[in-house]
Amino acid sequence: MKNIIKLTEVHKIYESGTHALKGVNLEVQEGEFLILLGLSGSGKSTLLRCMNRLIEPTSGEIEIDDENVITAKGKRLRKIRRHIGMIFQQFNLIKNMSALTNVLSGKLGYVSLWHAITFSIHKTDIALAMSNLQRVGLEQFAKNKARNLSGGQQQRVAIARALMQNPRVIFADEPVASLDPATADSVMKYLGELNKNDNITILCSLHFLSLARKYGTRVVALKDGNIVFDGTPNEIDEKKFKDIYGEDAEEVEIR
Amino acid sequence: MKMKKKNKAKAVIQSIATDLLFWIYIFGCLYYLMHKWTGFTAKLHLIGIAALLATLIFQLVRGSIGVKIFLSYAKVKRSFYKSAWGYLTIIALLITFVVGVNIVEVDFYKFFTKFQNAGGIASGIFNPSITGYSLSATSINELEKENLPPDVLSTLEGIQNRKYSTKKVFLEYLQKRLGESTLQKYRSTILKSAEKNTELLNIALSALAETIFLALLATVFAIPFAFVLSFFAARNLMPRTWLGNIVYLLVRTVATIFRSIEAIVWAIIFSVWVGIGPFAGMLALMIHSIAALTKLYSEQIENIDSGPVEAIKATGASTLQTWIYAVIPQIISPYLAFTIYRWDINVRMATIVGFVGGGGIGLLILQQQQLLRWHNVGLLIWLIAFVVWVMDMTSARVREKLGGM
């Protein structure tokens, strides 16, 4: 197994002075389903966004798929990004466009500007988008506007959009935090499937230990911008959990 | 410690400057009033000296407005003169009000007693000229066949081809010339052969069309400019590099300046540039609309949900692709709403712009008003009111449907 992600001493200091990442070192192997744990504000979102440069890291080295992310600019950065799918807590779909168009927008990293301006879309892309919608079980909603879909459905459209990129890696930033427990599990199930069947490496931040145990192959916990735990999900016991989430934390079981 | 001293020095200077300006204003106002009421004159530098003295006194007792604003931490024991700033504020407000009433020449007596001066326009509004009356050559021929006394006939021949705004105006004039009893006798005969015309109505309607279309074109031509500019005037889209900041500031500043120059001023400029007429009016409204829409549009962009922008960027899309797929879909319906609203405003402004050479119904009102044809003015006012009312209603309906504003 080869390393697909390699982070060396990554720091992020925001303009406000917040030191969000304090020298993170992390190696992720191809095919892992890595769960990021940690309190809100511990640096999970910042870490994920630094890896595809939605946020500029202050210092450090980041390598994804043997490409140096830090020095990449313009076209090369776009090329790196198009192999990284991203899923967000708020789904971030374009609300007044159809599910199909939203899925198609995942292909933007591949098409020329002219095609984007004229909205000319290749037939094979439409077929691919439909098959991706089918994979997340939403082919009958292709023509529906994204705003008319439920939260779980919207997140599945977002997964189909990420699939459209033909990704090597998917970053999921609290993908189930605004969903009810049952829907959350079904969304995680789709991510798990992609991980197993398509060999897509997944980095997913979560708050529920139960989901982490069910789907994760590895857990990394952040606290105040430092990695405080790195191991398998089953290694997290009561004491480790309190280390990560603070003394007052109680594990909440959600099934 | 040094820093603190510097800050204090700055606060003292600010406080003294505030007081000085305050007292110059107060003494200036008092001088204005005294001069107006009693004809009292004095050397103007005396105001400066008096202000300086007052500043000194109130700074020393630490009771002035400047001290209150900038040196409020210097709290000493509370004495009546330490809260003098409160009384000073009230006095300043009172003086301002009195001076204001004098400068504006407020005169309620005139307001309540001189209404009859506006009688012409009032009767014009209540009796607008929809059909005009005149005696043409054929009318006179017809009247000659009737058995009219020769003096009546010659009077009528005297006003051949003269145009009267309304039936009422026509009859009032005849009554003046012929006397009431004579007019009553031949009233129906004269009215039968008098010619009615809708000349003014025709002119007014075409001027109205001119106004509506010039407002429409001004809006339509403004859209592409404002659309492109709004992206550069949106803080969240412009990168925070020096170039991004310069472009953002430049577009914002120019738009603000152009917006603060009223359309009527632009109309004066363009009526000299391209000549009086609807084209000048259109250009004036267009410039003003570009500036106004750029601001409204860019604020709309600043209010968009940044989530989809982030998501599209993460797929590897270029900046322009991100704008097309993540920004435009979010702004298209508020943009439409704003644009329709702008057209609505432009129709209203087109009337005013017409007064200074912008063509359309405004120009027609100006002409009729200068000829003192109040009944014609009345018709024009009704037409404008009707169009503005219809535009207002439809634009509100459409905007509601679009879900904006």
Side-chain angles (χ1 to χ4, degrees):
Chain A
M1 280 286 175
K2 73 178 248 239
N3 275 343
I4 194 160
I5 297 174
K6 188 161 182 273
L7 274 69
T8 323
E9 279 298 310
V10 175
H11 282 267
K12 173 64 193 177
I13 304 168
Y14 284 103
E15 268 174 54
S16 60
T18 314
H19 204 152
L21 297 176
K22 296 171 180 163
V24 172
N25 291 296
L26 183 67
E27 284 180 12
V28 183
Q29 288 189 334
E30 203 173 358
E32 276 190 297
F33 197 126
L34 189 146
I35 306 285
L36 280 172
L37 288 182
L39 284 169
S40 305
S42 60
K44 306 187 299 291
S45 295
T46 307
L47 184 64
L48 288 176
R49 281 171 173 73
C50 277
M51 282 194 258
N52 59 2
R53 297 258 307 276
L54 284 180
I55 291 176
E56 291 294 330
T58 311
S59 67
E61 288 296 320
I62 298 173
E63 252 178 55
I64 294 180
D65 218 4
D66 298 327
E67 292 267 8
N68 188 332
V69 178
I70 299 290
T71 56
K73 264 186 197 162
K75 262 207 170 129
R76 257 196 65 218
L77 178 62
R78 292 181 53 199
K79 227 173 193 169
I80 293 170
R81 277 180 181 162
R82 76 186 189 195
H83 289 298
I84 305 173
M86 191 137 184
I87 300 187
F88 302 85
Q89 180 183 348
Q90 297 300 335
F91 328 129
N92 289 357
L93 299 180
I94 299 148
K95 295 259 180 349
N96 47 4
M97 282 195 166
S98 69
L100 184 66
T101 314
N102 269 293
V103 176
L104 279 166
S105 70
K107 205 75 189 175
L108 281 174
Y110 292 87
V111 302
S112 71
L113 180 61
W114 178 247
H115 280 86
I117 289 176
T118 54
F119 284 80
S120 56
I121 299 152
H122 211 271
K123 266 196 187 129
T124 53
D125 281 349
I126 294 182
L128 184 61
M130 281 307 288
S131 81
N132 282 331
L133 271 176
Q134 206 165 358
R135 277 194 75 173
V136 294
L138 290 173
E139 70 274 19
Q140 72 272 34
F141 293 104
K143 295 269 176 260
N144 288 38
K145 291 230 165 117
R147 73 162 81 253
N148 298 331
L149 299 177
S150 71
Q153 288 169 332
Q154 288 193 40
Q155 196 59 297
R156 276 145 69 194
V157 172
I159 292 175
R161 174 171 69 188
L163 269 179
M164 201 67 190
Q165 293 175 241
N166 190 20
R168 308 263 296 136
V169 193
I170 286 181
F171 298 154
D173 185 18
E174 300 194 17
V176 297
S178 30
L179 301 174
D180 64 75
T183 322
D185 191 69
S186 92
V187 165
M188 288 303 288
K189 210 174 346 186
Y190 283 110
L191 286 178
E193 237 168 64
L194 298 183
N195 176 247
K196 283 206 182 71
N197 301 340
D198 300 48
N199 197 29
I200 296 172
T201 312
I202 292 179
L203 273 71
C204 174
S205 63
L206 276 183
H207 282 308
F208 301 127
L209 208 47
S210 55
L211 289 174
R213 287 198 182 114
K214 193 166 170 191
Y215 296 101
T217 59
R218 180 181 167 193
V219 170
V220 168
L222 281 171
K223 193 179 182 184
D224 295 330
N226 292 307
I227 291 182
V228 291
F229 175 84
D230 189 346
T232 63
N234 294 326
E235 282 176 52
I236 299 184
D237 52 21
E238 188 84 353
K239 191 186 162 301
K240 294 249 167 60
F241 186 76
K242 284 197 168 158
D243 280 346
I244 301 167
Y245 279 99
E247 280 304 314
D248 301 331
E250 288 286 332
E251 194 184 329
V252 182
E253 277 297 315
I254 290 177
R255 302 197 182 279
Chain B
M1 199 58 209
K2 209 173 181 187
M3 192 67 195
K4 246 187 174 172
K5 239 181 189 170
K6 207 174 152 194
N7 278 346
K8 194 175 176 202
K10 195 179 153 201
V12 169
I13 291 170
Q14 280 174 325
S15 148
I16 291 176
T18 310
D19 279 0
L20 202 56
L21 283 176
F22 173 79
W23 284 111
I24 289 176
Y25 172 72
I26 293 290
F27 285 122
C29 284
L30 288 175
Y31 177 72
Y32 171 83
L33 290 177
M34 270 160 76
H35 181 72
K36 187 147 187 186
W37 290 336
T38 65
F40 166 83
T41 50
K43 293 250 160 59
L44 279 179
H45 63 255
L46 284 177
I47 293 177
I49 292 169
L52 210 59
L53 272 174
T55 306
L56 259 176
I57 293 168
F58 279 90
Q59 279 284 329
L60 283 176
V61 301
R62 299 201 151 276
S64 69
I65 291 175
V67 170
K68 172 70 187 168
I69 298 173
F70 294 103
L71 301 167
S72 55
Y73 57 85
K75 269 184 192 133
V76 206
K77 239 197 212 161
R78 206 181 158 80
S79 318
F80 80 95
Y81 55 80
K82 295 231 167 62
S83 53
W85 62 270
Y87 306 113
L88 288 177
T89 311
I90 293 169
I91 291 169
L93 288 175
L94 281 176
I95 291 178
T96 303
F97 182 74
V98 174
V99 168
V101 166
N102 266 281
I103 289 181
V104 180
E105 295 171 10
V106 174
D107 190 342
F108 288 107
Y109 178 75
K110 268 189 204 160
F111 180 81
F112 288 113
T113 56
K114 298 285 180 77
F115 176 71
Q116 73 269 20
N117 289 356
I121 193 158
S123 86
I125 286 173
F126 289 115
N127 191 10
S129 156
I130 294 166
T131 47
Y133 276 74
S134 65
L135 294 173
S136 65
T138 29
S139 322
I140 299 291
N141 277 339
E142 272 176 38
L143 287 168
E144 272 166 357
K145 284 171 204 150
E146 307 286 337
N147 267 333
L148 292 174
D151 60 323
V152 172
L153 197 57
S154 74
T155 310
L156 292 178
E157 273 167 352
I159 59 164
Q160 184 180 333
N161 287 338
R162 265 204 231 169
K163 283 169 186 147
Y164 298 89
S165 305
T166 62
K167 187 170 162 186
K168 199 174 159 220
V169 173
F170 182 56
L171 290 175
E172 269 169 8
Y173 181 77
L174 288 181
Q175 186 172 344
K176 222 185 282 168
R177 291 292 299 272
L178 304 173
E180 201 178 343
S181 53
T182 324
L183 176 65
Q184 284 308 323
K185 215 164 158 190
Y186 304 110
R187 190 188 136 114
S188 54
T189 325
I190 297 172
L191 279 181
K192 204 171 71 196
S193 41
E195 277 192 3
K196 287 187 215 168
N197 64 70
T198 54
E199 232 170 75
L200 180 80
L201 190 65
N202 297 345
I203 297 171
L205 286 177
S206 76
L208 198 60
E210 204 172 284
T211 296
I212 294 170
F213 276 100
L214 91 83
L216 177 67
L217 280 193
T219 318
V220 170
F221 283 149
I223 293 170
F225 292 99
F227 185 84
V228 173
L229 286 175
S230 65
F231 283 76
F232 295 99
R235 185 69 272 187
N236 54 344
L237 289 190
M238 290 319 281
R240 294 200 179 251
T241 56
W242 64 270
L243 184 68
N245 284 335
I246 285 178
V247 171
Y248 166 81
L249 277 177
L250 195 74
V251 175
R252 272 275 153 134
T253 316
V254 171
T256 311
I257 291 172
F258 275 49
R259 203 158 38 87
S260 56
I261 301 174
E262 278 295 328
I264 196 160
V265 178
W266 288 112
I268 292 170
I269 295 169
F270 283 116
S271 64
V272 178
W273 189 336
V274 300
I276 288 176
F279 184 52
M282 192 216 83
L283 286 172
L285 291 180
M286 185 181 106
I287 294 283
H288 200 252
S289 299
I290 290 174
L293 284 178
T294 301
K295 181 172 179 280
L296 288 176
Y297 284 178
S298 61
E299 273 166 9
Q300 210 52 49
I301 294 180
E302 282 170 358
N303 282 336
I304 61 168
D305 179 6
S306 63
V309 179
E310 199 180 27
I312 295 293
K313 216 162 122 187
T315 65
S318 66
T319 309
L320 206 57
Q321 285 175 328
T322 313
W323 287 8
I324 294 170
Y325 278 86
V327 179
I328 291 180
Q330 291 194 57
I331 56 177
I332 209 80
S333 67
Y335 268 36
L336 269 176
F338 278 129
T339 311
I340 289 167
Y341 181 52
R342 192 70 220 171
W343 182 27
D344 180 8
I345 292 176
N346 277 347
V347 169
R348 260 175 277 174
M349 291 224 285
T351 318
I352 309 295
V353 158
F355 268 76
V356 293
I361 202 157
L363 190 61
L364 197 57
I365 286 199
L366 181 71
Q367 289 164 352
Q368 297 300 317
Q369 179 251 319
Q370 281 171 348
L371 295 169
L372 305 181
R373 299 213 171 123
W374 298 116
H375 300 275
N376 297 3
V377 173
L379 173 72
L380 299 175
I381 288 174
W382 280 112
L383 285 178
I384 292 169
F386 176 72
V387 168
V388 168
W389 175 66
V390 171
M391 287 288 303
D392 202 58
M393 280 225 316
T394 35
S395 101
R397 280 276 172 83
V398 175
R399 277 182 281 136
E400 203 179 331
K401 280 266 150 61
L402 288 169
M405 307 189 16

